[in-house]
Amino acid sequence: MRSDQHTVVLLLRPADAPDLPLDAADRLQDAHLAHQAGLVEQGLVLAAGPFVDADDERLRGFVVLSVSPQEARELYHNDPAVRAGRLGVQVMSWMVPEGIVRFESVPLPRSVLEAAAGD
């Protein structure tokens, strides 16, 4: 059986993540979302989104990319939330039977306000 290989990034909240005032946390989240949307626009991200109701509260999000694991590490080390210490990353390869997963090209929100609007 042939396989497709994708790179997966798990976004995690580090135990030592800095506490930020609400306005600063909101600005950082907007910067993170804009970074993520930019990667989608470049065709590098195949799918991305936050975790909801996770058993482990540290798990914050999941990203599937069309780049190598090393390239994914470099991309996410430039994420503003990672640089600020609010998110950490775990990078790995994910293999699935060829053709079992299909990705549609859709835009991601560039801010919390845009995500809340649902547009």
Side-chain angles (χ1 to χ4, degrees):
M1 179 185 313
R2 293 171 35 160
S3 297
D4 289 330
Q5 183 171 328
H6 304 287
T7 298
V8 170
V9 172
L10 290 178
L11 298 170
L12 305 144
R13 178 66 41 88
D16 61 348
D19 288 325
L20 298 174
L22 185 57
D23 62 329
D26 287 347
R27 283 193 307 275
L28 188 57
Q29 182 66 11
D30 284 350
H32 162 70
L33 292 174
H35 177 265
Q36 190 96 300
L39 297 178
V40 169
E41 291 164 2
Q42 294 175 58
L44 306 175
V45 170
L46 301 172
F51 288 119
V52 186
D53 300 327
D55 287 339
D56 185 339
E57 291 180 9
R58 295 173 301 157
L59 295 172
R60 308 305 297 163
F62 178 81
V63 185
V64 182
L65 297 109
S66 62
V67 300
S68 72
Q70 184 56 37
E71 290 172 291
R73 284 182 190 91
E74 292 169 13
L75 292 170
Y76 278 87
H77 285 297
N78 288 321
D79 183 307
V82 173
R83 286 196 326 253
R86 291 280 287 183
L87 291 175
V89 296
Q90 288 187 359
V91 178
M92 62 209 72
S93 293
W94 180 42
M95 295 186 66
V96 296
E98 185 177 50
I100 197 168
V101 178
R102 300 196 196 306
F103 299 98
E104 298 289 327
S105 179
V106 296
L108 291 182
R110 299 189 73 82
S111 68
V112 174
L113 184 61
E114 190 176 315
D119 294 336

